[in-house]
């Protein structure tokens, strides 16, 4: 059996799976329509809102996939995620949350979930403390170097207990981001001048 035959059979089986029913309250529908009409909403959020509205109107997954130019797996995924969150949405409406609070909840449901392997995020305070170290003279930290490098700064931040661990690459990004002029020189160069 070749790949195309197998793929065709899988597609045929997948198309026979009944789509999960999506039922929207009037308020949910209103909020989703506001997301679709919003001019500042991210494109992916708008497409996902359109997907849920189409699913609620009875449109098939394959039809939604073609119309919104999404992979069929994506359509099933977002339909399934909405279906899983239906109780949370109902509970929020029973508690008579505001339209604004429901909007936040719906945007959360339609947002990407954190993916495994993403880098650890650092607080603003940690970043500021690391940048402050970069502005110090190396000799004050008993470092046998003439200037700070990203590796030296990462080691010093760990030594001082600012962070448990940090990659030199992350330190380099912090320093590059803190450069508010259009020059390509980094903060390390500025502090040493």
């Amino acid at each position: 059996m070749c790949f195309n035959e197998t793929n065709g059979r899988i597609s045929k089986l997948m198309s026979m799976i009944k789509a999960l029913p999506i039922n929207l309250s009037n308020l949910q529908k209103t909020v989703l329509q506001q997301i679709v009409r919003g001019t500042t909403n991210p494109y992916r959020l708008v497409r996902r809102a359109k997907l849920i509205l189409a699913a609620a109107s009875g449109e098939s997954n394959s039809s939604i996939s073609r119309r919104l130019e999404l992979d069929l797996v994506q359509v099933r995924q977002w339909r399934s995620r909405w279906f899983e969150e239906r109780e949370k949405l109902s509970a929020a409406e029973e508690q008579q949350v505001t339209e604004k609070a429901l909007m936040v909840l719906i945007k959360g449901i339609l947002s990407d979930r954190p993916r495994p392997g993403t880098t650890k995020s650092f607080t603003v305070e940690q970043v500021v403390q690391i940048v402050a170290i970069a502005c110090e003279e190396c000799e004050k930290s008993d470092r046998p170097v003439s200037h700070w490098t990203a590796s030296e700064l990462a080691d010093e931040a760990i030594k001082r207990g600012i962070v448990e661990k940090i990659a030199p690459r992350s330190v380099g990004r912090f320093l590059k981001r803190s450069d508010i002029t259009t020059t390509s020189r980094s903060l390390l160069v500025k502090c040493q001048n």
Side-chain angles (χ1 to χ4, degrees), residues 107-120:
K107 283 183 176 182
I109 292 169
L110 297 179
S111 295
D112 291 325
R113 290 184 179 155
R115 295 181 180 155
T118 57
T119 57
K120 180 180 177 185

Side-chain angles (χ1 to χ4, degrees), residues 1-2 5 24 41 71 77 81 110 118 130 134 137 145 154-155 160 164 169 173 176 178 181 184 188 191:
M1 186 180 299
C2 72
E5 279 182 51
L24 299 176
N41 289 325
D71 187 73
Q77 172 194 352
R81 186 171 306 171
L110 297 179
T118 57
I130 292 169
E137 293 183 26
V145 293
D155 289 342
R160 292 187 188 187
E164 278 185 40
R169 180 76 180 110
R173 280 193 301 269
K176 193 156 184 88
S178 64
T181 65
S184 62
L188 286 175
C191 290

Side-chain angles (χ1 to χ4, degrees), residues 29-40:
K29 187 174 181 180
T30 299
V31 170
L32 286 166
Q33 288 169 339
Q34 288 174 0
I35 291 172
V36 169
R37 288 191 308 264
T39 57
T40 59

Side-chain angles (χ1 to χ4, degrees), residues 46-102:
V46 171
R47 281 199 338 175
R48 292 169 187 168
K50 286 180 179 179
L51 184 156
I52 298 303
L53 287 167
S57 72
E59 198 170 332
S60 70
N61 287 343
S62 56
S63 173
I64 296 169
S65 172
R66 281 190 304 277
R67 189 168 55 80
L68 296 179
E69 297 178 0
L70 290 168
D71 187 73
L72 193 55
V73 173
Q74 288 178 301
V75 174
R76 285 190 187 100
Q77 172 194 352
W78 288 105
R79 190 175 198 138
S80 175
R81 186 171 306 171
W82 187 273
F83 186 80
E84 291 167 6
E85 299 290 342
R86 70 190 184 283
E87 290 176 16
K88 188 188 294 184
L89 289 161
S90 295
E93 286 190 72
E94 285 173 14
Q95 295 173 3
Q96 298 181 345
V97 296
T98 64
E99 193 172 303
K100 188 175 182 177
L102 188 62

Side-chain angles (χ1 to χ4, degrees), residues 30 49 60 72 75 87 103 106 122 129 131-132 153 159 170:
T30 299
S60 70
L72 193 55
V75 174
E87 290 176 16
M103 173 76 76
I106 288 175
F122 299 95
Q129 289 174 342
V131 172
L153 282 168
K159 178 181 163 189
S170 294

Side-chain angles (χ1 to χ4, degrees), residues 133 135-143 145 148 156 159-160:
I133 294 172
C135 293
E136 295 176 4
E137 293 183 26
C138 302
E139 296 81 33
K140 290 183 179 177
S141 299
D142 295 328
R143 292 268 172 189
V145 293
W148 286 112
E156 188 64 21
K159 178 181 163 189
R160 292 187 188 187

